[in-house]
Amino acid sequence: MANAINEQLEQAVLSSIRQGRWLAEGWEEVGIRPAHNLRPFLPQLLQRLKDGDPLAINDENALDLMVVEIRTALNELKPGYGDLAMRIDTSEHLIFDENRERLRQLAERWKSFQRIRRQVRDLQAAMRQLKLALRRV
């Protein structure tokens, strides 16, 4: 069982590295001008993601602020769409406005990245718990 969890963890970490890089690239392509509260954190966050360090715990706040910016930008283009995009999967939506489509894709990248980060943390916790359980045997 430990080998299966370890293999899943390896795959999830690799996926988080890729998805983090894609998120950073997508952010830069879209060119959102972030609010003052995100600006100090953003360069470091983007650099870590591009460098393959997607799991830094000190990026939690910046990632939370990033999604606010994405949601706000989408809502400005179409009222309520940013809120909707954060609640559901929008990958099947047909959007003909280029700016809104790029932002929608960025929102989906952010959600995918957050899912894989959670999966990595869950697998890490499973490994820790498994090691504890095996020590008790």
Side-chain angles (χ1 to χ4, degrees):
M1 175 144 83
N3 288 340
I5 293 173
N6 196 46
E7 192 172 302
Q8 289 177 42
L9 180 58
E10 288 175 14
Q11 291 301 313
V13 168
L14 178 59
S15 184
S16 72
I17 291 168
R18 284 186 191 126
Q19 290 187 33
R21 185 180 66 249
W22 295 337
L23 176 62
E25 291 168 356
W27 179 273
E28 290 175 339
E29 286 172 17
V30 169
I32 296 174
R33 284 240 340 121
H36 294 290
N37 52 354
L38 178 57
R39 278 188 207 149
F41 305 110
L42 190 60
Q44 296 156 341
L45 168 64
L46 295 177
Q47 192 59 54
R48 273 193 288 274
L49 294 176
K50 288 190 273 185
D51 289 345
D53 186 14
L55 303 172
I57 194 73
N58 52 337
D59 287 339
E60 292 296 324
N61 187 42
L63 287 164
D64 290 343
L65 294 171
M66 181 184 266
V67 75
V68 170
E69 296 294 329
I70 297 168
R71 177 185 291 124
T72 300
L74 273 168
N75 281 335
E76 287 174 0
L77 291 176
K78 182 170 181 172
Y81 189 71
D83 299 319
L84 177 71
M86 291 305 146
R87 285 193 317 271
I88 67 168
D89 178 4
T90 63
S91 58
E92 298 288 324
H93 290 192
L94 293 174
I95 297 177
F96 299 103
D97 177 270
E98 184 179 338
N99 290 334
R100 189 161 38 117
E101 174 59 13
R102 288 181 14 201
L103 281 166
R104 186 202 61 75
Q105 289 175 2
L106 183 61
E108 290 302 322
R109 284 181 183 175
W110 184 90
K111 291 186 295 186
S112 293
F113 179 64
Q114 287 295 79
R115 275 192 298 273
I116 197 68
R117 277 173 55 104
R118 261 192 311 275
Q119 183 180 359
V120 168
R121 293 214 172 92
D122 290 347
L123 289 165
Q124 289 171 326
M127 287 294 291
R128 284 191 303 274
Q129 292 303 311
L130 184 59
K131 287 177 185 177
L132 284 172
L134 289 173
R135 283 189 207 142
R136 294 181 190 145
V137 175

